[in-house]
């Protein structure tokens, strides 16, 4: 059902890459961020699987437009989507922490502790089911969940009215969704469109895959070999973003049964959680769905022999018997995923309405009125008829 | 004689249709062998797990939801489609494995 947006981010649309800040990034590199410099060399199958895609996939049901992505970015950063008017999507999905929050588990409305770690939204355009347990079928379906849930505690039925009261949003929705305007479905579509534009920058690993032998260290190259063979990480961490988008029990000893709550009759889905991307991994500590492991070294130790044995444990998880040198090589490899992700600039948000509609009408020359200077100053309106 | 011939032809046509009514789909390397399948109402898909890991075919398509449960390597499962419509199937463990089934 997905449709590749051909050359999606070229031209005007390119400004959306990485949250609009990639223009400078692209200029620096002198190339489109969607084009890898070369295909993997050496006939190495493992490397071929990691070549970056050349375009972002957008679904036929919600194709890319610049207007939708622009609107989605404003909504993503706008705390008025929450019940408190204080929490935005970006509060937890903080670009400064590679679109996570750097906490073991997130905090929501009135500092309510959330059950699982905030997942990054990096490269979610390539994902399948969303949430740690895959309970939502698409980004569109997921988008309104946190707004109405424990995270943002908004009365979802009131969101449309609240946004409609903001003049700038009325305009932005009319431009992005001509003839439709502000609806819950369109809020979700705009948010999902923006989220799909959030893509990892090119990392040293990408340069190596594209043929630059000096892009990563010898230790990292050994680590890549371990990753694909002895350590078996590639059984699940596969594809350019380092995830199969699948659900696996990796033997963490907590009580959360994850996808087991959604699909109840499959043993292997008990305690199973979605494989996260490996992109910007060092920036996204702590790790795992429960944030229980603080460092990548702890993660490697977990997979080496620290996991809980139980029936639901993934068939891919077995004791690895890695030496300390091998663990260090694996870590060196994982650190090559730190990309040149562009700085993300928080967007200017549509201002709340300053004056009641009736008053604006009074100011309107069409109504024959000429406003008091003081009123114009109060309203901070910079209209000709206020001068 | 003419009636007999027509009857034989009808039986043969029915048999051919019955054979075509089942499609075999293998699962190997975390991939389905087919991406799109068209079936008549009452048709079925025989899912063969030729992979080295467990799969779990299911659908959450409204009005067509089903879940065949865990399918271990080497196992075969047949699912029959009793209603017309467009059904999206996935593996619940490896959701990149997807098939669109059109039941006519």
């Amino acid at each position: 059902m997905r449709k590749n947006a051909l050359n999606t981010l070229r031209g005007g649309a390119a400004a959306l890459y990485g949250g609009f800040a990639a223009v400078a990034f692209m200029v620096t590199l002198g190339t489109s961020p969607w084009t890898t410099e070369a295909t993997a060399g050496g006939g190495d199958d493992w490397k071929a699987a990691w070549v970056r895609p050349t375009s972002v996939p957008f679904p036929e049901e919600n194709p890319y437009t610049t207007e939708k992505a622009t609107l989605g970015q404003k909504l993503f950063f706008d705390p008025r989507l929450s019940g408190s008017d204080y929490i935005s999507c970006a509060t937890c999905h903080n670009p400064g922490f590679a679109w996570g929050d750097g906490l073991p588990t997130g905090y929501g409305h009135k500092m309510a502790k959330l059950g699982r770690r905030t997942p990054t939204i990096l490269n979610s355009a390539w994902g399948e089911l969303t949430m740690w347990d895959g309970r939502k079928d698409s980004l569109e379906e997921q988008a309104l969940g946190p707004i109405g849930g424990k995270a943002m505690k908004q009365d979802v039925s009131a969101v449309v009215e609240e946004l409609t009261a903001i003049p700038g949003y009325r305009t932005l929705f009319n431009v992005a969704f001509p003839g439709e305007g502000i609806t819950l479905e369109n809020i979700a579509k705009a948010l999902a469109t923006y989220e799909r534009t959030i893509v990892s920058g090119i990392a040293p690993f990408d340069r190596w895959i594209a043929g630059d032998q000096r892009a990563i260290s010898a230790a990292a190259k050994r680590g890549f070999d371990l990753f694909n063979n002895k350590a078996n990480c590639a059984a699940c961490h596969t594809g350019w973003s380092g995830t199969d988008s699948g659900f696996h029990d990796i033997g963490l000893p907590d009580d959360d049964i994850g996808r087991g709550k959604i699909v109840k009759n499959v043993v292997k889905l008990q305690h199973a959680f979605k494989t996260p991307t490996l992109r910007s991994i060092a920036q996204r500590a702590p790790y795992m769905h429960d944030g229980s492991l603080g460092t990548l070294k702890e993660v490697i130790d977990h997979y080496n022999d620290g996991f809980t044995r139980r029936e639901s444990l993934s068939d891919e998880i077995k004791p690895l018997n890695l030496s300390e040198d091998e663990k260090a090589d694996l870590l060196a490899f994982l650190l090559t995923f730190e990309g040149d992700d562009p700085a993300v600039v928080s967007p200017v948000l549509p201002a709340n309405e300053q004056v009641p509609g009736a008053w604006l009408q009074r100011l309107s020359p069409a109504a024959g009125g000429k406003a008091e200077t003081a009123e114009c100053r109060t309203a901070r309106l910079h209209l000709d008829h206020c001068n | 004689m003419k009636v007999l011939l027509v009857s034989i032809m009808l039986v043969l046509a029915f048999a051919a249709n019955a054979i075509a009514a089942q499609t075999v789909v293998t699962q190997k390397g975390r991939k389905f062998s087919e991406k799109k399948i068209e079936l008549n109402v009452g048709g079925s898909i025989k899912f063969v797990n030729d992979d080295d890991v467990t799969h779990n075919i299911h659908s959450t398509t409204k009005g067509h939801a089903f879940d065949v449960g865990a399918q271990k390597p080497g196992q075969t499962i047949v699912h029959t489609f009793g209603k017309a419509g467009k059904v999206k199937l996935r593996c619940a463990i490896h959701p990149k494995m997807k098939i669109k089934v059109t039941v006519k």
Side-chain angles (χ1 to χ4, degrees):
Chain A
M1 189 54 82
R2 283 176 188 280
K3 179 183 175 186
N4 280 345
L6 297 172
N7 301 319
T8 300
L9 301 182
R10 294 209 170 94
L16 280 156
Y17 171 73
F20 292 80
V23 177
F25 169 69
M26 290 165 63
V27 170
T28 305
L29 287 179
T31 180
S32 161
W34 307 108
T35 309
T36 45
E37 293 152 35
T39 53
D44 187 334
D45 289 344
W46 288 116
K47 287 170 90 173
W50 291 86
V51 174
R52 291 177 67 96
T54 53
S55 63
V56 179
F58 290 88
E60 285 173 10
E61 302 87 349
N62 187 21
Y64 176 87
T65 68
T66 309
E67 293 80 7
K68 256 192 283 185
T70 302
L71 170 60
Q73 189 206 27
K74 290 184 189 293
L75 292 170
F76 190 87
F77 283 88
D78 196 331
R80 289 169 296 186
L81 259 62
S82 66
S84 63
D85 291 344
Y86 192 68
I87 301 170
S88 72
C89 305
T91 303
C92 294
H93 298 289
N94 179 346
F97 280 120
W99 305 91
D101 59 12
L103 297 166
T105 64
Y107 286 91
H109 183 72
K110 293 187 176 175
M111 292 302 285
K113 198 170 188 297
L114 306 179
R116 294 171 186 159
R117 186 167 71 90
T118 302
T120 181
I121 56 168
L122 267 175
N123 312 322
S124 49
W126 286 267
E128 293 294 337
L129 307 175
T130 67
M131 316 295 282
W132 279 109
D133 54 18
R135 66 182 182 273
K136 301 288 186 185
D137 270 350
S138 65
L139 287 174
E140 285 78 4
E141 202 182 294
Q142 183 274 336
L144 300 176
I147 294 172
K150 210 172 163 184
M152 295 167 78
K153 209 71 177 175
Q154 173 69 285
D155 175 3
V156 174
S157 63
V159 173
V160 171
E161 193 182 338
E162 205 169 318
L163 292 183
T164 303
I166 301 170
Y169 274 126
R170 294 199 293 269
T171 305
L172 285 163
F173 272 90
N174 284 334
V175 170
F177 301 98
E180 298 176 29
I182 305 179
T183 65
L184 283 176
E185 189 184 353
N186 288 344
I187 293 169
K189 281 183 169 179
L191 281 168
T193 301
Y194 172 62
E195 288 173 343
R196 290 191 178 98
T197 68
I198 298 168
V199 180
S200 298
I202 292 174
F205 176 71
D206 295 310
R207 295 193 181 94
W208 179 59
I209 289 292
D212 179 356
Q213 291 303 314
R214 294 174 301 175
I216 67 173
S217 66
K221 290 173 191 171
R222 290 193 300 271
F224 183 63
D225 182 53
L226 288 162
F227 184 91
N228 290 301
N229 295 294
K230 184 176 177 182
N232 200 32
C233 314
C236 302
H237 289 287
T238 181
W240 83 275
S241 189
T243 172
D244 63 354
S245 300
F247 300 88
H248 311 280
D249 174 11
I250 56 165
L252 288 161
D254 69 334
D255 295 330
D256 190 344
I257 62 167
R259 189 147 175 78
K261 278 185 196 163
I262 312 301
V263 182
K264 295 178 180 169
N265 58 346
V266 177
V267 171
K268 287 294 179 191
L269 288 175
Q270 297 291 306
H271 301 280
F273 294 87
K274 190 163 67 176
T275 311
T277 175
L278 292 178
R279 295 281 169 173
S280 300
I281 187 72
Q283 194 68 17
R284 296 192 288 110
Y287 301 103
M288 311 311 200
H289 69 271
D290 56 359
S292 59
L293 302 180
T295 64
L296 287 171
K297 182 180 180 308
E298 287 176 40
V299 172
I300 293 169
D301 285 339
H302 169 84
Y303 285 118
N304 191 45
D305 202 18
F307 47 85
T308 299
R309 274 79 167 166
R310 57 192 168 208
E311 196 182 355
S312 56
L313 185 71
S314 168
D315 297 333
E316 304 289 358
I317 308 267
K318 295 182 175 72
L320 300 176
N321 300 314
L322 296 173
S323 68
E324 291 305 304
D325 283 347
E326 287 173 328
K327 290 180 189 175
D329 288 345
L330 258 184
L331 179 58
F333 165 63
L334 292 173
L335 296 179
T336 67
F337 284 113
E338 293 314 292
D340 297 329
D341 289 35
V344 176
V345 178
S346 183
V348 174
L349 302 178
N352 288 332
E353 192 162 30
Q354 292 288 342
V355 291
W359 199 44
L360 269 182
Q361 204 171 19
R362 187 177 150 220
L363 299 179
S364 161
K370 187 166 171 85
E372 300 281 344
T373 306
E375 285 177 327
C376 283
R377 259 205 308 273
T378 305
R380 294 184 202 151
L381 295 171
H382 302 285
L383 304 173
D384 289 344
H385 58 265
C386 279
N387 296 327
Chain B
M1 187 64 179
K2 197 173 179 183
V3 173
L4 182 64
L5 265 175
V6 169
S7 301
I8 290 169
M9 285 172 73
L10 277 172
V11 167
L12 286 174
F14 180 78
N17 193 42
I19 292 165
Q22 185 169 84
T23 303
V24 177
V25 173
T26 57
Q27 300 158 85
K28 197 168 176 61
R30 280 77 159 167
K31 285 179 185 163
F32 284 121
S33 57
E34 308 291 332
K35 288 184 177 172
K36 288 181 183 177
I37 291 173
E38 287 194 0
L39 293 171
N40 291 323
V41 172
S44 62
I45 301 178
K46 183 178 177 182
F47 293 102
V48 183
N49 186 355
D50 279 340
D51 228 330
D52 53 1
V53 293
T54 299
H55 290 301
N56 174 199
I57 295 151
H58 84 156
S59 172
T60 55
T61 302
K62 209 171 179 181
H64 298 272
F66 71 92
D67 190 325
V68 303
Q71 186 181 9
K72 292 187 175 172
Q75 283 188 336
T76 295
I77 288 174
V78 175
H79 180 76
T80 302
F81 294 81
K83 269 199 314 188
K86 291 187 175 180
V87 190
K88 292 181 185 175
L89 315 185
R90 284 182 192 271
C91 171
I93 301 169
H94 310 94
K96 281 200 180 292
M97 295 171 64
K98 292 182 281 191
I99 305 181
K100 283 187 206 169
V101 179
T102 305
V103 187
K104 294 179 176 173

